[in-house]
Amino acid sequence: MRRQIRFIAVCLSLAVAGVPLRADDTAALKAQLSALARDARYPEAMAIAQKLADAAKSTNRESKDYAEAVSWLAFLHQVQGEVAASGALFREAYEIYSKVLPPDDPDLATSLNNLGFYYCQIGDFRQSEILYRRSLDIRERVLAKNDPAIADSLNNLAELYKSEERWDEVVPLLNRALEIRTRSLPPNHPIIAGTLQNLAGALETDPSRGSFEEAQRLLEKALEIRRSSQRADHPEIAGTLSKLATNLFNQGKYKQAEKRFREALALRRASQPPHHPDIASTLVGLSLNQIEQGKPEEAEKLLLETLEIRKEVFAPTADQFAESYRYLGRAQLHEGRTADALESIRKGTSIILARAARREKAVEHLTEHLQILAAADAIKTADHKADFDEGFTIGQNAEQSETARAVAGMAARFATQDERLQKLVSELQTIEATQTVLERHLTDDLAKPPEERETDIRKQLDDYEKKRIEINNEVKSAFPEYFDLVNASSVTTEDAVKFIKDDEALITIVSGADRTYVWALTKQGFAWHEANVSKIWLENAIKTLRATLDTEDLKRNITASSGLFDLGLSYQLYSQLLAPLEATFSSKAKLIIVPSGPLTSLPFQVLVTKQPKVLRPVLGDLAMYRDTAWIIREHAITVLPSVTSLKALRTLPKFAENRKPMVGFGNPQLGGVKSEAATRGAADRAKSSKSRGLSASMVDKVMDILRRLPDLPGAEEELRTVAKDLGATETDLHLGAAATKSAVKNADLSKFNVVYFATHGLVADDVPGLSEPALVMTPPDDPTDDDDGLLTASEVSQLNLNADWVVLAACNTAAESKPGARALSGLAKAFFHAGARAILVSHWRVDSEAAATLTTSTFGIRAKDPALGRSEALREAMLQQITKAPATPAQLWDAYPAFWAPFSVVGDGS
């Protein structure tokens, strides 16, 4: 399968601070310097800049004139690919400007912008963002509303966010930058072309927007502008040609792409120094194009040249080296030189693993490492354990989720018995979570004109950052091991085995672009394999399966001839992913599964382990679901966000004595639809089931929507039943009108073993303005910011829990934090952050009656046999529903997975 090129993003819109020209030789030299730079005659410009610097330095080294000359030198070093030299000069210029200029001077803003550019180029994105925002803040305060310099800042921030894969924040900033530039610059100005290129890049790389054809049109327009406004051999024309070639490659138009790559490369070699990093970037694109055309030997030569160029420009740990080594490994694999390919990609991987962040480009690198490793392992006759160990570590690093980090943070917090330190760490984690939310709000604001923005977000961020640094330093001093615990990225095979019990198997799954990798590990053995399953196929398969599981969708779409849950597709998933490893895990009663990507949104209990008699049943085949070979018949299943989560959760200290068994919140008073009679036919059961979620037809104002949700009187009985099994008191149940958001926030939740919510769950965009998942509580008569009837994920993360189990008996509580994110990144992540050790979550809009039956049965089973783990008790509850003999046609639905399989145990299921 063809792979999309994702080049390392380059930050743009570098500028030089200027001073009013004087009618003397210095003014004439500055004018000549500016003209030469615009025309890309950089060596001649460098000589003049050096002459200006020497003259200013002889007069006063700490002067504005000298800082301006140094800025020009830095700029000229940068455009000629001399990154390290440019950085030192940008810093020197900024230090002088900060001494001799007032704090809101536009030239100081330009110096901040330039220094931010340098940090972006070397991969220090946090420092780059700080400098870019300071520059933008000054420019918006002192410059005209549509000054092009403001557009430069917006453009640079957008390109920075593209580098960080913050896709939904990129396009609004670029659109505003383009709006400013089109108002203040002529239509054929090269800067307009640059903005069009950046918009094209956002369209190509954003998975939610991807439109290569539209991007191609933007790039062709940018090329037209540049050719009409710049000299024929200008290096910026080469840059546009290279981007257009990359676009054509990503569309599979290899012949056209090769022509453009070679045109760009010839122009770069003619107009730029031989070791310019832009030449290396174009060589990389051409090499990948040649691999796709069956010419890996030529590609290898091109990639070796990129390494030679990059050695002259970048530090050995730069991401650009990882890119070259990755693609060199790909070329060598296509040549059949598997050992060389593995050696090459290992060099790149060592650079990737040294980085804290695992962005999509890094994940693609690591999954390609797995592909080469699998090819090497396939031809080996011995020592498969070493390859398993290497792949096991690489796979963990390829899948570092926000939820896994929340688990690590929670475990690190409780690793100390010092309550003061626990509170400090909790405050630190809350500040970091709040900063993330505020930073997103600030980015949204930056896409608006200044007069339409909130005024205090920057101040809030500054205040939180000061507090974060203060607490961070205190934690470093008193609890230094905290940072090692929270930043752990992987565990070794030997370490993982220590935390696996005799009756458990750990299964981890990593989905790459073209292949999926699965590992199985037990006390007694190990195995792994490469499945010929692409991420796109997985996404489509799981989307198909989920389409027949949501109870609201069933109500709308069920007919006598409509397809029900696709047993054949479920069996195909099992056969391709897990069946090859059955010899390792089949004897184990409990499976601990670490899924990735699209697999996080499907509960594994719906996988089918034997060929079904009917692949795609219809309504008349409903009874066959009772006899289906579900995997849950053989194994209890727990889901973990990462392998490191297993170690984190199983090294937590035991709970103190004298804790309270349970606190519950349920059946919020909403004033919606009342319960209906339950006696219906088989088809009617699906059509009339009442779900704990928002119907798609409810789209009015938020409070009106909440008040029209159906009441859940069965939730009160559910909570009372579970409370009785746990020995909890009625006073710890907050029901009906008492099930408020304020009651949750005001309760001391840290003293309860079980925290239980039986209510409606909403996902992002379910109601107008809801940008994250939430639990529905009783809405107040007069809503406020503190209590609006919705307990959102960000508010959950600020709660203080120390819970053995959080039960979210509501709809879609395993859902993502926002559309397009991975599952378990919303409420599940928030409750782990707040202090949960295990969570019961749902994967779709659940039937209220079925939800109550499953949860009360689970706790009832554990009450009778306390030795049973959470996942085992849930398994028995599911099996009771599957195997129960139907007394009426409606009860045939009990064995249909929409009703028995919505819940998963996430965390420690033992």
Side-chain angles (χ1 to χ4, degrees):
M1 177 181 174
R2 173 176 56 85
R3 295 183 179 89
Q4 179 181 337
I5 297 180
R6 290 181 185 268
F7 289 128
I8 295 168
V10 178
C11 309
L12 301 174
S13 295
L14 195 62
V16 177
V19 296
L21 297 180
R22 299 186 301 272
D24 55 14
D25 291 341
T26 301
L29 285 173
K30 289 178 181 179
Q32 185 181 3
L33 170 58
S34 181
L36 289 169
R38 281 196 305 271
D39 208 28
R41 294 163 63 182
Y42 299 133
E44 297 169 68
M46 181 76 81
I48 294 176
Q50 189 63 59
K51 186 174 182 178
L52 287 168
D54 290 342
K57 185 179 180 180
S58 65
T59 304
N60 181 3
R61 180 165 187 156
E62 291 196 351
S63 68
K64 187 177 178 181
D65 283 346
Y66 180 63
E68 180 191 0
V70 170
S71 293
W72 270 114
L73 287 171
F75 167 79
L76 293 166
H77 277 294
Q78 186 278 323
V79 294
Q80 295 183 91
E82 298 160 358
V83 178
S86 72
L89 292 168
F90 279 136
R91 277 192 293 264
E92 183 180 2
Y94 167 70
E95 287 168 3
I96 297 170
Y97 276 130
S98 62
K99 292 177 182 177
V100 302
L101 295 177
D104 59 351
D105 192 285
D107 288 347
L108 179 61
T110 302
S111 186
L112 286 164
N113 176 77
N114 293 344
L115 191 55
F117 174 90
Y118 165 72
Y119 280 112
C120 180
Q121 197 173 29
I122 65 173
D124 189 343
F125 299 137
R126 183 177 181 84
Q127 184 62 26
S128 175
E129 183 172 8
I130 291 170
L131 294 168
Y132 278 158
R133 283 183 168 170
R134 285 180 60 195
S135 174
L136 178 61
D137 183 52
I138 294 171
R139 285 172 165 173
E140 289 193 322
R141 282 190 286 107
V142 302
L143 299 178
K145 181 178 178 180
N146 291 316
D147 193 292
I150 294 173
D152 291 346
S153 289
L154 293 167
N155 178 83
N156 283 351
L157 272 172
E159 290 300 292
L160 172 66
Y161 294 156
K162 193 189 297 181
S163 300
E164 295 183 293
E165 297 175 10
R166 294 159 62 176
W167 307 120
D168 54 348
E169 301 175 60
V170 173
V171 174
L173 295 181
L174 288 176
N175 281 334
R176 184 164 174 250
L178 182 60
E179 179 186 359
I180 292 172
R181 286 169 169 173
T182 52
R183 288 181 177 180
S184 57
L185 297 171
N188 66 336
H189 197 287
I191 289 179
I192 301 288
T195 308
L196 293 174
Q197 289 175 204
N198 295 340
L199 274 170
L203 288 171
E204 289 179 327
T205 55
D206 180 353
S208 68
R209 296 178 183 268
S211 174
F212 292 119
E213 295 81 3
E214 184 179 351
Q216 181 182 345
R217 288 192 291 272
L218 292 174
L219 290 167
E220 288 170 345
K221 178 64 176 175
L223 183 61
E224 178 186 334
I225 291 173
R226 290 200 185 281
R227 282 182 162 160
S228 69
S229 60
Q230 295 176 301
R231 61 184 174 84
D233 62 345
H234 198 291
E236 289 180 356
I237 294 177
T240 307
L241 284 167
S242 191
K243 290 178 184 295
L244 180 56
T246 300
N247 172 277
L248 294 166
F249 171 89
N250 287 331
Q251 294 184 65
K253 300 175 181 178
Y254 302 126
K255 291 295 183 184
Q256 296 177 52
E258 181 179 356
K259 178 183 176 182
R260 292 299 194 182
F261 274 129
R262 293 196 185 280
E263 190 179 353
L265 185 60
L267 188 50
R268 286 201 188 283
R269 291 194 192 279
S271 62
Q272 295 176 305
H275 288 101
H276 198 289
D278 288 349
I279 294 176
S281 295
T282 301
L283 286 168
V284 168
L286 179 58
S287 71
L288 294 181
N289 196 72
Q290 297 311 87
I291 290 173
E292 293 300 326
Q293 295 190 94
K295 301 175 182 177
E297 293 83 2
E298 180 187 352
E300 181 177 6
K301 292 178 182 177
L302 297 171
L303 289 161
L304 289 172
E305 184 180 353
T306 71
L307 285 169
E308 291 304 313
I309 293 172
R310 287 169 168 174
K311 285 175 184 176
E312 297 291 326
V313 180
F314 298 111
T317 57
D319 288 341
Q320 287 83 354
F321 281 105
E323 179 182 70
S324 289
Y325 284 125
R326 172 191 172 187
Y327 296 138
L328 181 60
R330 184 186 296 182
Q332 291 165 335
L333 184 66
H334 278 74
E335 293 178 63
R337 294 161 51 201
T338 308
D340 290 339
L342 189 56
E343 180 181 355
S344 293
I345 202 161
R346 279 171 174 163
K347 291 177 181 177
T349 298
S350 66
I351 296 170
I352 294 293
L353 296 184
R355 299 285 189 193
R358 298 285 186 273
R359 298 185 180 91
E360 185 62 29
K361 187 175 179 65
V363 171
E364 290 173 357
H365 177 111
L366 295 173
T367 52
E368 189 156 0
H369 185 144
L370 293 172
Q371 182 182 356
I372 296 173
L373 181 65
D377 188 63
I379 60 177
K380 289 174 70 173
T381 58
D383 197 23
H384 295 288
K385 177 64 163 55
D387 290 341
F388 178 93
D389 292 345
E390 181 176 348
F392 188 66
T393 299
I394 297 299
Q396 291 175 68
N397 279 280
E399 285 297 329
Q400 292 187 8
S401 69
E402 295 177 6
T403 311
R405 183 170 175 82
V407 172
M410 177 272 296
R413 185 164 78 242
F414 292 125
T416 175
Q417 298 301 302
D418 187 324
E419 289 188 8
R420 187 187 70 86
L421 278 178
Q422 286 184 1
K423 289 179 180 178
L424 268 181
V425 169
S426 179
E427 186 177 0
L428 177 62
Q429 293 172 350
T430 298
I431 287 173
E432 290 172 342
T434 304
Q435 284 179 303
T436 300
V437 174
L438 286 174
E439 284 169 357
R440 173 56 195 272
H441 288 332
L442 179 57
T443 304
D444 290 343
D445 253 16
L446 293 177
K448 305 173 186 174
E451 65 272 12
E452 297 178 16
R453 297 180 191 163
E454 297 181 37
T455 58
D456 63 342
I457 295 181
R458 278 197 178 97
K459 184 179 185 307
Q460 288 182 64
L461 274 170
D462 289 343
D463 292 344
Y464 275 118
E465 179 62 10
K466 290 174 185 175
K467 188 66 175 176
R468 186 195 68 81
I469 292 171
E470 177 187 331
I471 297 176
N472 201 66
N473 291 336
E474 191 170 352
V475 172
K476 276 183 179 178
S477 174
F479 186 21
E481 59 270 31
Y482 164 78
F483 296 95
D484 292 331
L485 293 170
V486 81
N487 292 319
S489 59
S490 63
V491 296
T492 64
T493 304
E494 288 71 22
D495 207 11
V497 167
K498 296 175 185 175
F499 300 99
I500 299 172
K501 297 177 181 178
D502 289 335
D503 60 349
E504 293 176 335
L506 174 65
I507 296 174
T508 66
I509 308 173
V510 172
S511 55
D514 301 335
R515 300 284 192 276
T516 298
Y517 303 89
V518 191
W519 295 262
L521 181 64
T522 69
K523 286 283 192 187
Q524 295 78 27
F526 65 90
W528 76 299
H529 80 107
E530 178 187 61
N532 188 18
V533 174
S534 70
K535 182 173 287 188
I536 291 177
W537 186 88
L538 273 179
E539 288 172 349
N540 291 333
I542 291 169
K543 183 178 179 180
T544 297
L545 293 175
R546 283 180 58 92
T548 55
L549 291 172
D550 188 289
T551 55
E552 288 291 322
D553 291 338
L554 279 173
K555 283 192 285 185
R556 283 194 300 270
N557 303 325
I558 190 70
T559 67
S561 60
S562 59
L564 297 178
F565 182 79
D566 193 330
L567 295 175
L569 183 57
S570 176
Y571 174 67
Q572 187 179 359
L573 264 178
Y574 177 83
S575 298
Q576 295 193 355
L577 298 181
L578 299 185
L581 305 178
E582 280 182 336
T584 302
F585 73 78
S586 61
S587 64
K588 302 303 179 183
K590 290 173 277 188
L591 304 182
I592 303 169
I593 300 179
V594 182
S596 72
L599 287 167
T600 58
S601 64
L602 188 76
F604 279 78
Q605 56 262 27
V606 300
L607 295 186
V608 176
T609 62
K610 295 179 182 178
Q611 178 79 38
K613 294 179 181 178
V614 178
L615 300 181
R616 185 74 188 274
V618 294
L619 194 59
D621 304 313
L622 191 59
M624 70 176 302
Y625 288 100
R626 185 166 176 260
D627 300 318
T628 296
W630 306 108
I631 191 173
I632 199 69
R633 292 184 185 274
E634 306 298 329
H635 308 279
I637 296 173
T638 301
V639 172
L640 279 176
S642 71
V643 179
T644 56
S645 300
L646 178 67
K647 179 178 179 180
L649 291 167
R650 292 193 170 175
T651 53
L652 284 169
K654 292 183 178 181
F655 288 111
E657 300 294 332
N658 301 319
R659 288 168 52 80
K660 303 190 78 173
M662 171 189 162
V663 62
F665 306 87
N667 188 29
Q669 185 173 297
L670 303 169
V673 180
K674 300 301 179 183
S675 298
E676 298 178 2
T679 305
R680 303 294 172 101
D684 290 337
R685 166 68 190 278
K687 286 187 176 182
S688 65
S689 67
K690 185 169 54 177
S691 62
R692 298 182 182 184
L694 188 67
S695 170
S697 64
M698 298 181 180
V699 291
D700 290 329
K701 293 181 180 179
V702 175
M703 296 309 295
D704 182 52
I705 290 175
L706 295 188
R707 292 191 175 107
R708 290 195 293 121
L709 285 168
D711 289 337
L712 299 170
E716 293 195 16
E717 183 181 351
E718 174 185 342
L719 283 165
R720 288 191 173 101
T721 300
V722 173
K724 182 179 178 182
D725 285 331
L726 293 175
T729 64
E730 182 79 14
T731 57
D732 289 325
L733 300 182
H734 304 264
L735 308 174
T740 64
K741 182 173 172 179
S742 296
V744 176
K745 288 185 170 183
N746 294 332
D748 182 4
L749 301 179
S750 65
K751 62 186 180 182
F752 292 98
N753 286 329
V754 174
V755 179
Y756 199 123
F757 292 88
T759 181
H760 294 283
L762 303 178
V763 298
D765 294 341
D766 258 350
V767 298
L770 183 62
S771 60
E772 58 181 329
L775 295 172
V776 175
M777 311 305 294
T778 297
D781 293 332
D782 298 309
T784 65
D785 289 341
D786 289 332
D787 191 351
D788 54 6
L790 290 177
L791 183 65
T792 63
S794 57
E795 290 168 323
V796 167
S797 68
Q798 297 181 45
L799 300 176
N800 180 27
L801 277 65
N802 188 9
D804 189 46
W805 202 1
V806 170
V807 178
L808 303 180
C811 288
N812 279 318
T813 51
E816 65 273 16
S817 57
K818 59 185 178 181
R822 60 184 289 166
L824 304 179
S825 64
L827 287 169
K829 181 192 78 171
F831 274 103
F832 277 125
H833 186 279
R837 304 185 183 207
I839 307 173
L840 187 73
V841 296
S842 63
H843 287 270
W844 49 77
R845 287 176 288 190
V846 298
D847 173 66
S848 185
E849 180 184 340
T853 300
L854 285 166
T855 53
T856 56
S857 295
T858 298
F859 280 93
I861 290 165
R862 287 196 82 194
K864 293 176 183 176
D865 186 358
L868 278 181
R870 287 176 277 264
S871 63
E872 293 171 289
L874 179 60
R875 170 180 174 267
E876 289 197 17
M878 291 178 184
L879 291 177
Q880 285 179 6
Q881 191 153 328
I882 295 170
T883 59
K884 182 175 61 177
T888 66
Q891 290 180 359
L892 288 171
W893 285 101
D894 289 340
Y896 188 75
F899 296 94
W900 63 261
F903 291 112
S904 291
V905 176
V906 183
D908 191 351
S910 63

